[in-house]
Amino acid sequence: MAIKNIVIPLEDEYLQKAARERGISRSKLARFLMEKVVNDELVPAILGEGDLSTVEPVPQKYRRFRNQP
């Protein structure tokens, strides 16, 4: 399964430096990192085993005509 069109805010300076040292683009570096995390199943090692549903509050959805019957 491919996940596309996701915007992830990252530290640009760190990624630029790491990519430059390896002679690749930042996009390719981010792709390689995500492939490594998935292939080696590193999510529990990085984030722990706990529930992450409460880490970020759910964004409130905009409803244009919320109070109309």
Side-chain angles (χ1 to χ4, degrees):
M1 179 173 98
I3 299 174
K4 296 182 179 183
N5 300 326
I6 293 178
V7 177
I8 302 171
L10 299 170
E11 289 294 328
D12 185 52
E13 295 172 10
Y14 172 71
L15 280 180
Q16 184 67 37
K17 181 181 173 190
R20 191 177 305 128
E21 289 173 358
R22 288 157 180 81
I24 59 176
S25 69
R26 289 176 295 173
S27 299
K28 190 175 277 192
L29 177 65
R31 192 174 331 119
F32 285 152
L33 287 171
M34 292 309 300
E35 287 175 5
K36 173 88 173 152
V37 167
V38 172
N39 291 337
D40 295 349
E41 297 179 2
L42 297 175
V43 172
I46 295 170
L47 299 176
E49 297 287 339
D51 182 20
L52 297 175
S53 63
T54 59
V55 172
E56 268 188 35
V58 179
Q60 186 176 8
K61 295 181 180 178
Y62 173 73
R63 306 249 175 159
R64 186 172 180 182
F65 303 108
R66 182 178 297 183
N67 295 329
Q68 289 186 357

